[in-house]
Amino acid sequence: MTLASLNPDIVVIGAGTSGLSSAKSLKDFGYSVIVIEANSDVGGRCITNNSIFDTPFDLGGSWLHSAATNPLANIAIKKNAKLHKKNWSPTWVHSNGRDLSPQETKEYSQYIEDMWKNINNIGTRKDDLSVEKLIPKSKWKDIAKNQISLMLAADPDVSSALDVFHFTNTKGDWLIESGLGTFIKNIYSDIKVFVNCPASKIDYSSSGVKVETPQGIINAKYAVLTVSTGVLAREQIKFYPALPPRKQEAINLLPIGLLNKIGLEFDPRWKGAHQGQSADYLIGENDFCSIEFGFYDSNIAVGFVGGRFAEQLEMDGPGTATSFCLDSLKAIFGNDIVKFIHKTTETAWKSNKNTHGSYSYAVPGGHGARQTLAEPLDDRLFFAGEATMSNTQATVHGAYLSGIEVAEKISKIDK
Ligand SMILES: Cc1cc2nc3c(=O)[nH]c(=O)nc-3n(C[C@H](O)[C@H](O)[C@H](O)COP(=O)(O)OP(=O)(O)OC[C@H]3O[C@@H](n4cnc5c(N)ncnc54)[C@H](O)[C@@H]3O)c2cc1C
């Protein structure tokens, strides 16, 4: 039986969290569903690697953010997943050639907290501003700007403050010991996915949809498209008719940002840092990384680089981000620290042709584009994925919720 002969009710394009979640909900509504995925594996931007280190390593999403209201956190509890609930905070801060004193580190942490409050005050205004315009003047401003680049995967001068304001942030950032990618994969292990099967064209010109793939053309009543705004912006999928200008504009207002990770496996004999502790390192105005120790309470530390600086490191070639991270560790803990690091790895999400980055951000004035991106076309072509969410954007739980929402939309229209 060929893929083209299956004629499902719905074809879901992309087997990341949103695609898998929509497929499950649609099946629960009684539809026949086919899921196609460009990559050789499922998971998209939420994927665990189990072979680099002895400990699972999430290459993409790892935290269940806003655990108090995160539906995936609830599922994890019900499934008795081993959870790590400790929060990280700056323990060592090295800014432009010197270590901050413990008192300064405390002041810096407080400043970061106040800065987020200030950004969130944008909610009282109707117009939008860049996040940068709301960072209070202070000697900590440079380092704070770089912290924001990690959170948003984009620099504060290009990011919408309203988009940050609308993000629902509740307490708790939890890690799942098996890796969040493995957890998501396990929840949806019963969903059949056709891998190595990229959609190249979607024809939604008459009743139903036709999706072209290397394994044949799939005819279905509806399509759910879940690819990143990076993939959409690069027009890797052709549309017939072409996407309307307002949809195209929404894609342009929601670029994909960049956050890369550097994984470091320490010799267990190194007891210099523990779970919950982190080291921030800044040199110049923009060269910044934050290293968080004791992931999953193991000897794994994870360095993060974000925004333009992460792009620069990735463009400069494999190993550049790792070298920067190791230099940061040497500056903070002394040169001998590298003797305790047994293995390293780094991600390169910008170069990933199935995503082109890490997660979406809105440019100033772009928050409303999330709703536009979520709107179906001709009640046949539906959109899901983290970028379509107005309050849980850029997250795994946002992707999960978008999959459920799109299934509900289809079932209402189909009545
Ligand atoms: C480094 C990093 C750290 C992160 N940290 C966190 C975190 O700690 N917590 C959190 O909540 N979120 C985090 N995120 C964000 C989170 O991982 C994403 O928001 C979420 O996984 C996106 O899911 P999605 O289903 O919207 O998109 P995706 O996972 O990108 O799924 C889309 C799928 O479509 C496939 N595809 C692309 N083109 C085609 C095509 N032509 N045909 C068929 N399939 C195609 C892709 O391969 C992909 O599998 C992080 C992301 C990264 C990269």
Side-chain angles (χ1 to χ4, degrees), residues 143-161:
I143 193 158
K145 266 169 43 182
N146 285 287
Q147 278 275 7
I148 292 172
S149 306
L150 296 190
M151 298 285 290
L152 304 182
D155 294 281
D157 58 321
V158 292
S159 311
S160 151

Side-chain angles (χ1 to χ4, degrees), residues 96-288:
N96 286 313
R98 77 176 186 93
D99 294 330
L100 303 195
S101 68
Q103 179 55 30
E104 285 176 310
T105 305
K106 229 171 156 186
E107 280 173 28
Y108 160 66
S109 299
Q110 185 60 49
Y111 169 78
I112 300 271
E113 221 173 90
D114 294 345
M115 175 192 75
W116 285 114
K117 280 190 198 139
N118 209 37
I119 294 168
N120 280 323
N121 278 341
I122 184 83
T124 56
R125 302 169 57 121
K126 285 225 164 67
D127 55 338
D128 197 3
L129 291 173
S130 74
V131 169
E132 175 146 25
K133 292 228 163 73
L134 294 169
I135 305 176
K137 281 206 172 70
S138 148
K139 58 182 170 182
W140 312 123
K141 187 168 174 176
D142 274 351
I143 193 158
K145 266 169 43 182
N146 285 287
Q147 278 275 7
I148 292 172
S149 306
L150 296 190
M151 298 285 290
L152 304 182
D155 294 281
D157 58 321
V158 292
S159 311
S160 151
L162 265 186
D163 200 50
V164 174
F165 166 75
H166 282 287
F167 181 77
T168 307
N169 196 9
T170 58
K171 271 200 173 146
D173 293 298
W174 298 355
L175 288 173
I176 295 189
E177 193 156 293
S178 62
L180 186 51
T182 299
F183 175 74
I184 295 289
K185 210 172 180 176
N186 288 345
I187 302 181
Y188 297 115
S189 55
D190 58 336
I191 304 280
K192 162 116 184 80
V193 176
F194 292 84
V195 295
N196 298 313
C197 190
S200 52
K201 184 174 173 190
I202 301 173
D203 179 340
Y204 64 104
S205 58
S206 54
S207 67
V209 288
K210 288 189 182 64
V211 177
E212 285 185 22
T213 80
Q215 295 178 36
I217 296 176
I218 305 164
N219 288 285
K221 207 167 167 190
Y222 307 106
V224 175
L225 182 58
T226 72
V227 300
S228 75
T229 54
V231 170
L232 291 172
R234 278 160 190 81
E235 300 182 5
Q236 281 174 218
I237 301 172
K238 305 287 170 231
F239 294 91
Y240 185 72
L243 292 179
R246 66 188 250 106
K247 193 66 115 179
Q248 199 59 58
E249 192 196 10
I251 294 166
N252 295 336
L253 291 169
L254 298 168
I256 191 153
L258 186 61
L259 177 77
N260 269 329
K261 291 183 178 180
I262 300 104
L264 307 152
E265 190 175 68
F266 276 81
D267 186 320
R269 282 171 298 181
W270 189 70
K271 303 282 181 212
H274 304 282
Q275 193 182 29
Q277 295 184 316
S278 78
D280 289 353
Y281 175 83
L282 175 73
I283 178 164
E285 202 183 327
N286 297 313
D287 299 8
F288 175 76

